[in-house]
Amino acid sequence: MVDGRDGKNANVDPRLLELLACPLTKGPLTWDPERGELISRVARLAYPVRDGIPIMLPSEARAIPLEDGLPPRLGGPS
């Protein structure tokens, strides 16, 4: 799971990334360690991690604008 209290500067267990999916697209998520978020590249949403717990609610996710680049794939399924 996530080690950092606020999700930042922490690592996500690759096995957890294999189990979690975007609730909207059912697609894979990647970990963005710089922001402490789980990224759905297809939905262009960033799900926060709070107190080490991924918040997988679309209403809590941050939209990633088209003009912003997506973070590189650092973790999760290929």
Side-chain angles (χ1 to χ4, degrees):
M1 196 114 183
V2 178
D3 297 323
R5 179 115 175 115
D6 63 357
K8 295 186 177 171
N9 298 323
N11 292 317
V12 173
D13 186 335
R15 294 174 294 180
L16 179 62
L17 282 173
E18 290 175 17
L19 296 174
L20 288 176
C22 174
L24 295 178
T25 67
K26 311 301 186 245
L29 299 168
T30 56
W31 173 241
D32 180 359
E34 201 171 290
R35 290 185 173 248
E37 298 173 323
L38 292 168
I39 306 295
S40 172
R41 299 176 81 78
V42 175
R44 298 191 66 84
L45 291 174
Y47 294 96
V49 176
R50 295 186 189 131
D51 295 328
I53 299 169
I55 309 300
M56 302 304 297
L57 299 170
S59 61
E60 293 289 320
R62 176 179 66 84
I64 302 172
L66 288 174
E67 57 273 1
D68 289 357
L70 289 171
R73 293 179 188 207
L74 298 175
S78 336

